[in-house]
Amino acid sequence: MSRTTITLRAAACAALLAAAALPASAQFGGLLRNLPVPIPGVSAPAAAPAGGGDLIQMLQQSLESIDEPKEIEIGRQLAAVLLGSKPLHADMGLQRYVNELGRWISLHSTRPTLPWSFAVIDDPGFNAFAAPGGYIFVTKGLVDRVDEAELAGILAHEITHVVDKHHLQALKSKAAAGFGATLVGSQLRGDARGLVQSQVLSLIRNIYTSGLDKGDEFDADRHGVALAARAGFDPYGLPGVLQQLRTVPQDNPLFTLTLATHPPADQRLDNLEQAMGKRLDAFAGKPSVSIMQRVQAR
Ligand SMILES: [Zn+2]
């Protein structure tokens, strides 16, 4: 991606937030206040974490020594990278609805006090991303293809990744394998700093293009279904999404990343069936509500 594209996209995010005379926090009702929106004019790569060396240093610590503020800071840097490559969608009503839906579900998780932020990225693909500390993004292409219970299931799956620190663990093990002890951020200056930034970016890209551990994905499905049910949604939302993924042509470019970063939908459904049995059937059968119905009713 060119420097111009990055700057333009970053500017689009900022323009979105600056669109009204109200301060951004008031405009979004304070809902998206935790998002690390890229700042236009920052030299390229605008999306690179400012303190790449610091991030590596944090990831080189043991998991126990990464306390919650550090975890949130790591996630904030990752979220800035994700947001630097794609703009937020301009529909404020949709952003507010998805953020409220996600926060409601996260309140039923075991980590309700994280600074949870949910947002819709303006991208036609079908995808969802999470970063440590509670940053969760879904694409507009995904939102257009699911109903409310299905979106709740997807958000609950992503919330589980955050609650159980799946990305943090993956980042740590990949950082340990790829960086070694020679890259100590505090000793880096000039060109070396640029090298660290580019390696941090490639580490982050690696996590989001190669996916997490298969077992973590199955866990996120199982716990996500239970979490969505606890928050009052039909537990069959996530299985509904998996049915959709099962039938989508493997070469549909809008689904490539999701299919490449997750175990096959058939396996995920089998796994869920074993875990759920009929235990959650009492919570099922709620009428389907579309996302646009919800947004327009507000
Ligand atoms: Zn996942």
Side-chain angles (χ1 to χ4, degrees), residues 106-151:
S106 67
L107 282 177
H108 296 79
S109 78
T110 52
R111 302 182 71 188
T113 57
L114 283 177
W116 295 97
S117 296
F118 300 80
V120 181
I121 291 177
D122 191 5
D123 182 281
F126 186 102
N127 226 325
F129 309 92
Y135 300 97
I136 292 177
F137 303 105
V138 288
T139 55
K140 180 64 165 49
L142 180 150
V143 170
D144 288 341
R145 289 179 179 84
V146 295
D147 69 15
E148 185 178 58
E150 291 170 335
L151 182 57

mmCIF file of all heavy atoms in Angstrom, residues 106-151:
data_model
loop_
_atom_site.group_PDB
_atom_site.id
_atom_site.type_symbol
_atom_site.label_atom_id
_atom_site.label_comp_id
_atom_site.label_asym_id
_atom_site.label_seq_id
_atom_site.Cartn_x
_atom_site.Cartn_y
_atom_site.Cartn_z
ATOM 1 N N SER A 106 -20.103 -8.293 25.932
ATOM 2 C CA SER A 106 -18.857 -8.345 26.719
ATOM 3 C C SER A 106 -19.133 -8.208 28.217
ATOM 4 O O SER A 106 -18.386 -8.727 29.047
ATOM 5 C CB SER A 106 -17.874 -7.270 26.256
ATOM 6 O OG SER A 106 -18.361 -5.983 26.560
ATOM 7 N N LEU A 107 -20.237 -7.522 28.566
ATOM 8 C CA LEU A 107 -20.605 -7.393 29.984
ATOM 9 C C LEU A 107 -20.911 -8.742 30.613
ATOM 10 O O LEU A 107 -20.834 -8.902 31.830
ATOM 11 C CB LEU A 107 -21.854 -6.509 30.135
ATOM 12 C CG LEU A 107 -21.648 -5.004 30.033
ATOM 13 C CD1 LEU A 107 -22.989 -4.289 30.138
ATOM 14 C CD2 LEU A 107 -20.708 -4.525 31.142
ATOM 15 N N HIS A 108 -21.281 -9.722 29.779
ATOM 16 C CA HIS A 108 -21.593 -11.063 30.276
ATOM 17 C C HIS A 108 -20.374 -11.979 30.254
ATOM 18 O O HIS A 108 -20.468 -13.153 30.569
ATOM 19 C CB HIS A 108 -22.732 -11.677 29.451
ATOM 20 C CG HIS A 108 -24.017 -10.917 29.590
ATOM 21 N ND1 HIS A 108 -24.268 -9.734 28.908
ATOM 22 C CD2 HIS A 108 -25.102 -11.128 30.364
ATOM 23 C CE1 HIS A 108 -25.440 -9.280 29.246
ATOM 24 N NE2 HIS A 108 -25.978 -10.095 30.132
ATOM 25 N N SER A 109 -19.228 -11.430 29.829
ATOM 26 C CA SER A 109 -17.997 -12.225 29.800
ATOM 27 C C SER A 109 -17.344 -12.170 31.185
ATOM 28 O O SER A 109 -17.818 -11.471 32.082
ATOM 29 C CB SER A 109 -17.033 -11.678 28.734
ATOM 30 O OG SER A 109 -16.380 -10.511 29.218
ATOM 31 N N THR A 110 -16.229 -12.882 31.331
ATOM 32 C CA THR A 110 -15.539 -12.863 32.628
ATOM 33 C C THR A 110 -14.612 -11.651 32.763
ATOM 34 O O THR A 110 -13.978 -11.478 33.790
ATOM 35 C CB THR A 110 -14.706 -14.145 32.817
ATOM 36 O OG1 THR A 110 -13.874 -14.318 31.666
ATOM 37 C CG2 THR A 110 -15.599 -15.362 32.989
ATOM 38 N N ARG A 111 -14.525 -10.810 31.705
ATOM 39 C CA ARG A 111 -13.687 -9.607 31.795
ATOM 40 C C ARG A 111 -14.500 -8.379 31.356
ATOM 41 O O ARG A 111 -14.143 -7.705 30.367
ATOM 42 C CB ARG A 111 -12.414 -9.782 30.937
ATOM 43 C CG ARG A 111 -11.598 -11.008 31.355
ATOM 44 C CD ARG A 111 -10.329 -11.145 30.537
ATOM 45 N NE ARG A 111 -9.365 -10.124 30.887
ATOM 46 C CZ ARG A 111 -8.225 -9.909 30.210
ATOM 47 N NH1 ARG A 111 -7.946 -10.637 29.144
ATOM 48 N NH2 ARG A 111 -7.393 -8.971 30.583
ATOM 49 N N PRO A 112 -15.558 -8.073 32.091
ATOM 50 C CA PRO A 112 -16.448 -6.986 31.646
ATOM 51 C C PRO A 112 -15.827 -5.601 31.739
ATOM 52 O O PRO A 112 -16.324 -4.671 31.112
ATOM 53 C CB PRO A 112 -17.656 -7.107 32.603
ATOM 54 C CG PRO A 112 -17.108 -7.776 33.816
ATOM 55 C CD PRO A 112 -16.005 -8.692 33.345
ATOM 56 N N THR A 113 -14.731 -5.456 32.480
ATOM 57 C CA THR A 113 -14.204 -4.108 32.704
ATOM 58 C C THR A 113 -13.109 -3.692 31.713
ATOM 59 O O THR A 113 -12.568 -2.599 31.814
ATOM 60 C CB THR A 113 -13.630 -3.986 34.135
ATOM 61 O OG1 THR A 113 -12.633 -4.997 34.301
ATOM 62 C CG2 THR A 113 -14.717 -4.166 35.180
ATOM 63 N N LEU A 114 -12.771 -4.547 30.760
ATOM 64 C CA LEU A 114 -11.809 -4.123 29.727
ATOM 65 C C LEU A 114 -12.421 -2.957 28.941
ATOM 66 O O LEU A 114 -13.641 -2.833 28.873
ATOM 67 C CB LEU A 114 -11.516 -5.288 28.770
ATOM 68 C CG LEU A 114 -10.578 -6.390 29.254
ATOM 69 C CD1 LEU A 114 -10.481 -7.491 28.200
ATOM 70 C CD2 LEU A 114 -9.191 -5.849 29.564
ATOM 71 N N PRO A 115 -11.586 -2.118 28.308
ATOM 72 C CA PRO A 115 -12.135 -0.989 27.537
ATOM 73 C C PRO A 115 -12.651 -1.451 26.167
ATOM 74 O O PRO A 115 -12.100 -1.122 25.123
ATOM 75 C CB PRO A 115 -10.921 -0.057 27.385
ATOM 76 C CG PRO A 115 -9.745 -0.974 27.428
ATOM 77 C CD PRO A 115 -10.114 -2.102 28.354
ATOM 78 N N TRP A 116 -13.707 -2.245 26.173
ATOM 79 C CA TRP A 116 -14.212 -2.866 24.944
ATOM 80 C C TRP A 116 -14.614 -1.819 23.911
ATOM 81 O O TRP A 116 -15.317 -0.865 24.233
ATOM 82 C CB TRP A 116 -15.410 -3.754 25.266
ATOM 83 C CG TRP A 116 -15.081 -4.939 26.123
ATOM 84 C CD1 TRP A 116 -15.229 -5.050 27.472
ATOM 85 C CD2 TRP A 116 -14.533 -6.196 25.687
ATOM 86 N NE1 TRP A 116 -14.807 -6.293 27.905
ATOM 87 C CE2 TRP A 116 -14.379 -7.012 26.829
ATOM 88 C CE3 TRP A 116 -14.161 -6.711 24.445
ATOM 89 C CZ2 TRP A 116 -13.866 -8.308 26.771
ATOM 90 C CZ3 TRP A 116 -13.663 -7.996 24.383
ATOM 91 C CH2 TRP A 116 -13.511 -8.781 25.528
ATOM 92 N N SER A 117 -14.177 -2.022 22.677
ATOM 93 C CA SER A 117 -14.563 -1.159 21.555
ATOM 94 C C SER A 117 -14.874 -2.032 20.351
ATOM 95 O O SER A 117 -14.079 -2.905 19.996
ATOM 96 C CB SER A 117 -13.421 -0.218 21.159
ATOM 97 O OG SER A 117 -13.137 0.661 22.196
ATOM 98 N N PHE A 118 -16.006 -1.778 19.745
ATOM 99 C CA PHE A 118 -16.428 -2.560 18.576
ATOM 100 C C PHE A 118 -16.700 -1.595 17.427
ATOM 101 O O PHE A 118 -17.329 -0.556 17.639
ATOM 102 C CB PHE A 118 -17.707 -3.341 18.888
ATOM 103 C CG PHE A 118 -17.533 -4.311 20.028
ATOM 104 C CD1 PHE A 118 -17.584 -3.869 21.356
ATOM 105 C CD2 PHE A 118 -17.306 -5.655 19.792
ATOM 106 C CE1 PHE A 118 -17.407 -4.754 22.415
ATOM 107 C CE2 PHE A 118 -17.134 -6.550 20.841
ATOM 108 C CZ PHE A 118 -17.183 -6.099 22.156
ATOM 109 N N ALA A 119 -16.227 -1.920 16.242
ATOM 110 C CA ALA A 119 -16.442 -1.007 15.123
ATOM 111 C C ALA A 119 -16.545 -1.781 13.813
ATOM 112 O O ALA A 119 -16.105 -2.925 13.709
ATOM 113 C CB ALA A 119 -15.293 0.000 15.041
ATOM 114 N N VAL A 120 -17.173 -1.117 12.835
ATOM 115 C CA VAL A 120 -17.364 -1.713 11.510
ATOM 116 C C VAL A 120 -16.353 -1.092 10.547
ATOM 117 O O VAL A 120 -16.272 0.132 10.427
ATOM 118 C CB VAL A 120 -18.796 -1.457 10.992
ATOM 119 C CG1 VAL A 120 -18.989 -2.112 9.621
ATOM 120 C CG2 VAL A 120 -19.821 -1.963 11.990
ATOM 121 N N ILE A 121 -15.585 -1.944 9.888
ATOM 122 C CA ILE A 121 -14.593 -1.494 8.908
ATOM 123 C C ILE A 121 -15.245 -1.486 7.527
ATOM 124 O O ILE A 121 -16.015 -2.397 7.188
ATOM 125 C CB ILE A 121 -13.374 -2.449 8.939
ATOM 126 C CG1 ILE A 121 -12.625 -2.272 10.265
ATOM 127 C CG2 ILE A 121 -12.445 -2.192 7.769
ATOM 128 C CD1 ILE A 121 -11.453 -3.205 10.423
ATOM 129 N N ASP A 122 -14.950 -0.440 6.758
ATOM 130 C CA ASP A 122 -15.545 -0.305 5.427
ATOM 131 C C ASP A 122 -14.826 -1.215 4.436
ATOM 132 O O ASP A 122 -13.905 -0.788 3.745
ATOM 133 C CB ASP A 122 -15.458 1.168 4.991
ATOM 134 C CG ASP A 122 -16.302 1.412 3.755
ATOM 135 O OD1 ASP A 122 -17.008 0.482 3.312
ATOM 136 O OD2 ASP A 122 -16.261 2.537 3.230
ATOM 137 N N ASP A 123 -15.238 -2.471 4.417
ATOM 138 C CA ASP A 123 -14.594 -3.470 3.559
ATOM 139 C C ASP A 123 -15.665 -4.474 3.132
ATOM 140 O O ASP A 123 -16.455 -4.916 3.971
ATOM 141 C CB ASP A 123 -13.473 -4.167 4.355
ATOM 142 C CG ASP A 123 -12.723 -5.187 3.522
ATOM 143 O OD1 ASP A 123 -13.248 -6.311 3.336
ATOM 144 O OD2 ASP A 123 -11.614 -4.871 3.050
ATOM 145 N N PRO A 124 -15.707 -4.836 1.843
ATOM 146 C CA PRO A 124 -16.769 -5.742 1.374
ATOM 147 C C PRO A 124 -16.543 -7.202 1.756
ATOM 148 O O PRO A 124 -17.450 -8.018 1.622
ATOM 149 C CB PRO A 124 -16.716 -5.567 -0.153
ATOM 150 C CG PRO A 124 -15.293 -5.171 -0.436
ATOM 151 C CD PRO A 124 -14.844 -4.363 0.759
ATOM 152 N N GLY A 125 -15.344 -7.537 2.231
ATOM 153 C CA GLY A 125 -15.057 -8.920 2.611
ATOM 154 C C GLY A 125 -15.862 -9.339 3.841
ATOM 155 O O GLY A 125 -16.495 -8.521 4.506
ATOM 156 N N PHE A 126 -15.815 -10.655 4.124
ATOM 157 C CA PHE A 126 -16.538 -11.216 5.276
ATOM 158 C C PHE A 126 -15.497 -11.553 6.327
ATOM 159 O O PHE A 126 -14.800 -12.565 6.214
ATOM 160 C CB PHE A 126 -17.284 -12.476 4.833
ATOM 161 C CG PHE A 126 -18.185 -13.077 5.879
ATOM 162 C CD1 PHE A 126 -19.562 -12.888 5.842
ATOM 163 C CD2 PHE A 126 -17.654 -13.865 6.904
ATOM 164 C CE1 PHE A 126 -20.389 -13.466 6.804
ATOM 165 C CE2 PHE A 126 -18.472 -14.437 7.865
ATOM 166 C CZ PHE A 126 -19.841 -14.234 7.810
ATOM 167 N N ASN A 127 -15.348 -10.666 7.347
ATOM 168 C CA ASN A 127 -14.296 -10.939 8.312
ATOM 169 C C ASN A 127 -14.547 -10.268 9.650
ATOM 170 O O ASN A 127 -15.275 -9.284 9.743
ATOM 171 C CB ASN A 127 -12.945 -10.466 7.757
ATOM 172 C CG ASN A 127 -11.880 -11.518 7.962
ATOM 173 O OD1 ASN A 127 -11.893 -12.232 8.972
ATOM 174 N ND2 ASN A 127 -10.973 -11.627 7.019
ATOM 175 N N ALA A 128 -13.915 -10.826 10.668
ATOM 176 C CA ALA A 128 -13.957 -10.236 12.012
ATOM 177 C C ALA A 128 -12.561 -10.376 12.604
ATOM 178 O O ALA A 128 -11.875 -11.371 12.364
ATOM 179 C CB ALA A 128 -14.976 -10.975 12.881
ATOM 180 N N PHE A 129 -12.133 -9.350 13.343
ATOM 181 C CA PHE A 129 -10.796 -9.363 13.951
ATOM 182 C C PHE A 129 -10.911 -8.961 15.409
ATOM 183 O O PHE A 129 -11.769 -8.157 15.766
ATOM 184 C CB PHE A 129 -9.864 -8.327 13.300
ATOM 185 C CG PHE A 129 -9.797 -8.378 11.814
ATOM 186 C CD1 PHE A 129 -10.649 -7.605 11.039
ATOM 187 C CD2 PHE A 129 -8.866 -9.188 11.180
ATOM 188 C CE1 PHE A 129 -10.575 -7.630 9.655
ATOM 189 C CE2 PHE A 129 -8.785 -9.225 9.801
ATOM 190 C CZ PHE A 129 -9.647 -8.448 9.038
ATOM 191 N N ALA A 130 -10.007 -9.478 16.228
ATOM 192 C CA ALA A 130 -9.929 -9.013 17.616
ATOM 193 C C ALA A 130 -8.479 -8.715 17.941
ATOM 194 O O ALA A 130 -7.569 -9.305 17.357
ATOM 195 C CB ALA A 130 -10.464 -10.085 18.565
ATOM 196 N N ALA A 131 -8.267 -7.770 18.838
ATOM 197 C CA ALA A 131 -6.916 -7.489 19.332
ATOM 198 C C ALA A 131 -6.976 -7.495 20.857
ATOM 199 O O ALA A 131 -8.036 -7.206 21.442
ATOM 200 C CB ALA A 131 -6.426 -6.149 18.803
ATOM 201 N N PRO A 132 -5.840 -7.832 21.513
ATOM 202 C CA PRO A 132 -5.838 -7.895 22.982
ATOM 203 C C PRO A 132 -6.416 -6.628 23.608
ATOM 204 O O PRO A 132 -6.338 -5.549 23.019
ATOM 205 C CB PRO A 132 -4.346 -8.035 23.319
ATOM 206 C CG PRO A 132 -3.736 -8.670 22.111
ATOM 207 C CD PRO A 132 -4.517 -8.145 20.938
ATOM 208 N N GLY A 133 -6.986 -6.774 24.788
ATOM 209 C CA GLY A 133 -7.490 -5.598 25.505
ATOM 210 C C GLY A 133 -8.918 -5.229 25.165
ATOM 211 O O GLY A 133 -9.505 -4.385 25.840
ATOM 212 N N GLY A 134 -9.496 -5.828 24.118
ATOM 213 C CA GLY A 134 -10.915 -5.577 23.856
ATOM 214 C C GLY A 134 -11.242 -4.802 22.602
ATOM 215 O O GLY A 134 -12.310 -4.195 22.510
ATOM 216 N N TYR A 135 -10.344 -4.802 21.606
ATOM 217 C CA TYR A 135 -10.625 -4.123 20.329
ATOM 218 C C TYR A 135 -11.157 -5.141 19.333
ATOM 219 O O TYR A 135 -10.466 -6.108 19.014
ATOM 220 C CB TYR A 135 -9.352 -3.475 19.781
ATOM 221 C CG TYR A 135 -8.763 -2.459 20.711
ATOM 222 C CD1 TYR A 135 -7.720 -2.802 21.566
ATOM 223 C CD2 TYR A 135 -9.263 -1.158 20.753
ATOM 224 C CE1 TYR A 135 -7.180 -1.872 22.439
ATOM 225 C CE2 TYR A 135 -8.731 -0.227 21.620
ATOM 226 C CZ TYR A 135 -7.687 -0.587 22.459
ATOM 227 O OH TYR A 135 -7.163 0.332 23.325
ATOM 228 N N ILE A 136 -12.378 -4.918 18.840
ATOM 229 C CA ILE A 136 -12.984 -5.888 17.935
ATOM 230 C C ILE A 136 -13.568 -5.181 16.713
ATOM 231 O O ILE A 136 -14.264 -4.171 16.845
ATOM 232 C CB ILE A 136 -14.046 -6.731 18.683
ATOM 233 C CG1 ILE A 136 -13.304 -7.613 19.699
ATOM 234 C CG2 ILE A 136 -14.857 -7.582 17.704
ATOM 235 C CD1 ILE A 136 -14.157 -8.466 20.577
ATOM 236 N N PHE A 137 -13.234 -5.710 15.541
ATOM 237 C CA PHE A 137 -13.701 -5.118 14.288
ATOM 238 C C PHE A 137 -14.417 -6.169 13.451
ATOM 239 O O PHE A 137 -13.979 -7.315 13.386
ATOM 240 C CB PHE A 137 -12.520 -4.589 13.462
ATOM 241 C CG PHE A 137 -11.683 -3.591 14.211
ATOM 242 C CD1 PHE A 137 -10.439 -3.946 14.717
ATOM 243 C CD2 PHE A 137 -12.143 -2.306 14.428
ATOM 244 C CE1 PHE A 137 -9.667 -3.029 15.424
ATOM 245 C CE2 PHE A 137 -11.384 -1.379 15.133
ATOM 246 C CZ PHE A 137 -10.143 -1.744 15.633
ATOM 247 N N VAL A 138 -15.513 -5.743 12.820
ATOM 248 C CA VAL A 138 -16.164 -6.594 11.816
ATOM 249 C C VAL A 138 -16.226 -5.794 10.524
ATOM 250 O O VAL A 138 -16.288 -4.562 10.544
ATOM 251 C CB VAL A 138 -17.591 -7.021 12.240
ATOM 252 C CG1 VAL A 138 -17.542 -8.030 13.366
ATOM 253 C CG2 VAL A 138 -18.443 -5.822 12.641
ATOM 254 N N THR A 139 -16.205 -6.493 9.384
ATOM 255 C CA THR A 139 -16.292 -5.790 8.102
ATOM 256 C C THR A 139 -17.751 -5.521 7.746
ATOM 257 O O THR A 139 -18.658 -6.230 8.186
ATOM 258 C CB THR A 139 -15.665 -6.635 6.985
ATOM 259 O OG1 THR A 139 -16.298 -7.919 6.981
ATOM 260 C CG2 THR A 139 -14.163 -6.809 7.200
ATOM 261 N N LYS A 140 -17.973 -4.495 6.898
ATOM 262 C CA LYS A 140 -19.331 -4.190 6.442
ATOM 263 C C LYS A 140 -19.884 -5.369 5.642
ATOM 264 O O LYS A 140 -21.078 -5.672 5.713
ATOM 265 C CB LYS A 140 -19.299 -2.915 5.587
ATOM 266 C CG LYS A 140 -20.649 -2.474 5.049
ATOM 267 C CD LYS A 140 -21.602 -2.089 6.164
ATOM 268 C CE LYS A 140 -22.827 -1.311 5.708
ATOM 269 N NZ LYS A 140 -23.556 -1.846 4.593
ATOM 270 N N GLY A 141 -19.012 -6.056 4.894
ATOM 271 C CA GLY A 141 -19.453 -7.216 4.119
ATOM 272 C C GLY A 141 -20.004 -8.319 5.009
ATOM 273 O O GLY A 141 -20.943 -9.025 4.627
ATOM 274 N N LEU A 142 -19.455 -8.464 6.207
ATOM 275 C CA LEU A 142 -19.970 -9.446 7.160
ATOM 276 C C LEU A 142 -21.331 -8.981 7.689
ATOM 277 O O LEU A 142 -22.300 -9.749 7.681
ATOM 278 C CB LEU A 142 -18.975 -9.636 8.309
ATOM 279 C CG LEU A 142 -19.342 -10.639 9.403
ATOM 280 C CD1 LEU A 142 -18.082 -11.264 10.006
ATOM 281 C CD2 LEU A 142 -20.173 -10.029 10.516
ATOM 282 N N VAL A 143 -21.389 -7.719 8.123
ATOM 283 C CA VAL A 143 -22.634 -7.191 8.703
ATOM 284 C C VAL A 143 -23.793 -7.329 7.715
ATOM 285 O O VAL A 143 -24.918 -7.637 8.104
ATOM 286 C CB VAL A 143 -22.431 -5.706 9.110
ATOM 287 C CG1 VAL A 143 -23.741 -5.056 9.484
ATOM 288 C CG2 VAL A 143 -21.438 -5.618 10.262
ATOM 289 N N ASP A 144 -23.495 -7.151 6.422
ATOM 290 C CA ASP A 144 -24.547 -7.235 5.402
ATOM 291 C C ASP A 144 -25.073 -8.650 5.204
ATOM 292 O O ASP A 144 -26.122 -8.833 4.585
ATOM 293 C CB ASP A 144 -24.007 -6.727 4.052
ATOM 294 C CG ASP A 144 -23.813 -5.223 4.055
ATOM 295 O OD1 ASP A 144 -24.405 -4.544 4.925
ATOM 296 O OD2 ASP A 144 -23.072 -4.723 3.181
ATOM 297 N N ARG A 145 -24.334 -9.643 5.679
ATOM 298 C CA ARG A 145 -24.715 -11.031 5.378
ATOM 299 C C ARG A 145 -25.215 -11.807 6.595
ATOM 300 O O ARG A 145 -25.376 -13.024 6.508
ATOM 301 C CB ARG A 145 -23.508 -11.779 4.783
ATOM 302 C CG ARG A 145 -23.156 -11.342 3.380
ATOM 303 C CD ARG A 145 -21.936 -12.104 2.883
ATOM 304 N NE ARG A 145 -21.574 -11.728 1.536
ATOM 305 C CZ ARG A 145 -20.821 -10.657 1.230
ATOM 306 N NH1 ARG A 145 -20.357 -9.879 2.191
ATOM 307 N NH2 ARG A 145 -20.547 -10.382 -0.029
ATOM 308 N N VAL A 146 -25.414 -11.138 7.731
ATOM 309 C CA VAL A 146 -25.850 -11.864 8.931
ATOM 310 C C VAL A 146 -27.034 -11.156 9.584
ATOM 311 O O VAL A 146 -27.262 -9.968 9.347
ATOM 312 C CB VAL A 146 -24.705 -11.982 9.976
ATOM 313 C CG1 VAL A 146 -23.567 -12.842 9.445
ATOM 314 C CG2 VAL A 146 -24.195 -10.612 10.395
ATOM 315 N N ASP A 147 -27.771 -11.907 10.411
ATOM 316 C CA ASP A 147 -28.810 -11.250 11.213
ATOM 317 C C ASP A 147 -28.233 -10.975 12.612
ATOM 318 O O ASP A 147 -27.056 -11.236 12.880
ATOM 319 C CB ASP A 147 -30.116 -12.063 11.236
ATOM 320 C CG ASP A 147 -30.000 -13.378 12.005
ATOM 321 O OD1 ASP A 147 -29.021 -13.558 12.762
ATOM 322 O OD2 ASP A 147 -30.896 -14.231 11.853
ATOM 323 N N GLU A 148 -29.086 -10.446 13.494
ATOM 324 C CA GLU A 148 -28.566 -10.003 14.792
ATOM 325 C C GLU A 148 -27.988 -11.155 15.625
ATOM 326 O O GLU A 148 -26.913 -11.022 16.231
ATOM 327 C CB GLU A 148 -29.667 -9.290 15.578
ATOM 328 C CG GLU A 148 -29.158 -8.708 16.875
ATOM 329 C CD GLU A 148 -30.233 -7.953 17.628
ATOM 330 O OE1 GLU A 148 -31.269 -8.577 17.947
ATOM 331 O OE2 GLU A 148 -30.045 -6.759 17.902
ATOM 332 N N ALA A 149 -28.702 -12.285 15.651
ATOM 333 C CA ALA A 149 -28.217 -13.413 16.465
ATOM 334 C C ALA A 149 -26.889 -13.933 15.916
ATOM 335 O O ALA A 149 -25.991 -14.335 16.674
ATOM 336 C CB ALA A 149 -29.254 -14.537 16.469
ATOM 337 N N GLU A 150 -26.749 -13.903 14.583
ATOM 338 C CA GLU A 150 -25.499 -14.363 13.965
ATOM 339 C C GLU A 150 -24.349 -13.400 14.291
ATOM 340 O O GLU A 150 -23.240 -13.828 14.617
ATOM 341 C CB GLU A 150 -25.688 -14.509 12.451
ATOM 342 C CG GLU A 150 -26.618 -15.673 12.107
ATOM 343 C CD GLU A 150 -27.035 -15.705 10.650
ATOM 344 O OE1 GLU A 150 -27.031 -14.657 9.966
ATOM 345 O OE2 GLU A 150 -27.405 -16.803 10.189
ATOM 346 N N LEU A 151 -24.648 -12.094 14.215
ATOM 347 C CA LEU A 151 -23.608 -11.115 14.568
ATOM 348 C C LEU A 151 -23.235 -11.262 16.047
ATOM 349 O O LEU A 151 -22.049 -11.201 16.406
ATOM 350 C CB LEU A 151 -24.108 -9.690 14.276
ATOM 351 C CG LEU A 151 -23.112 -8.565 14.560
ATOM 352 C CD1 LEU A 151 -21.802 -8.752 13.790
ATOM 353 C CD2 LEU A 151 -23.724 -7.202 14.214
#
